[in-house]
Structures are given as C-alpha cells and as structure tokens.
Amino acid sequence: MHEISHNALPYPQYPAIVLRIAMMAASRAPVASGRLLVGFRKWYYNMCGFNKIGLLRDDTIYENDDVKEALTRIPEKMYNDRVFRVKRALDLSMKQQVLPKDQWTQYEEDVHYLTPYLQEVVRERKEKEEWLKK
C-alpha cells in the first residue's frame, strides 16, 4: 500500500476515510462500487458547503466569457432564480450563517441548469475558432 501525504489530500482532516473508500471501491463488485461511488459523491457534495447556503452546483461556476454568454441564453425565470440564490448566499456568508438543514440543497435536487447552455456556447466558440483558422 502506498503512503499518501496529508498535503496531497483536499481535506487533510479526512485522510483515513478517503483512503478507506478508495480501497473499498477497488475491492468491491461493480454494483457495490457504483453505490459506493454515489455515496462518495453525496458526501463530497455536502462537504463542499455551497448547498448549505442554498446554491446549486452551476451557481458556483467561475464566470468567464463563456459562462456570461450562457447566462444570457437561459430563460429569465432561471436567471432570476440564480440571482436570488447568489444574493441569499452572499447575505448568509456576510452574516456567517447557513440555512436551516431542511432548506439545504440536496444532491438529488441539484439540477445542472446552466451546463447545457455552457456546452453549447463552448462548442460554438470552438467551431468559430476553427472557421477563423481557415
């Protein structure tokens, strides 16, 4: 077994559990490892903390030019919902508070509302770059 330094892990306070999960995933049958992987994803989702202030995963994407273009393409209701979540998260962050546990975003409820639009923008940008090369 290889030694893993605490500095190499994203959460130094959890090195034993991460190593144990990785070892279990490598030694289990595919069905068991699939369930284990989902369990690990849920654990990691909750450890990130953005769900505790009401954000979705797509709310945390860094806003570069592609993301800004994708935001112009989403429906107005989605955009307004995003603005509300971000403002509420900023307010909670300033107060150093989190939402009550029953209002946290659950892993199963997190929808990737921006990802399809972002993928389309990136595809179009790459296609345009290819045309400009010719």
Side-chain angles (χ1 to χ4, degrees), residues 26-43:
S27 65
R28 297 273 172 121
V31 173
S33 65
R35 285 192 306 251
L36 185 63
L37 187 58
V38 170
F40 181 74
R41 285 180 181 165
K42 287 181 181 181
W43 172 80

Side-chain angles (χ1 to χ4, degrees), residues 41-43 45-46 50-57 85 88 99-112:
R41 285 180 181 165
K42 287 181 181 181
W43 172 80
Y45 183 85
N46 287 319
F50 59 82
N51 65 322
K52 297 175 185 174
I53 53 177
L55 294 175
L56 299 176
R57 186 194 66 86
R85 287 189 304 270
R88 178 179 59 182
L99 291 170
K101 193 163 186 160
D102 63 329
Q103 294 180 21
W104 291 4
T105 306
Q106 299 300 315
Y107 177 80
E108 295 82 9
E109 298 169 352
D110 194 341
V111 292
H112 303 289

Side-chain angles (χ1 to χ4, degrees), residues 1-9 15-16 19 23:
M1 184 162 82
H2 299 286
E3 287 295 318
I4 298 177
S5 71
H6 291 289
N7 296 336
L9 295 172
L19 186 57
M23 301 256 321

Side-chain angles (χ1 to χ4, degrees), residues 32 89-90:
L90 288 171

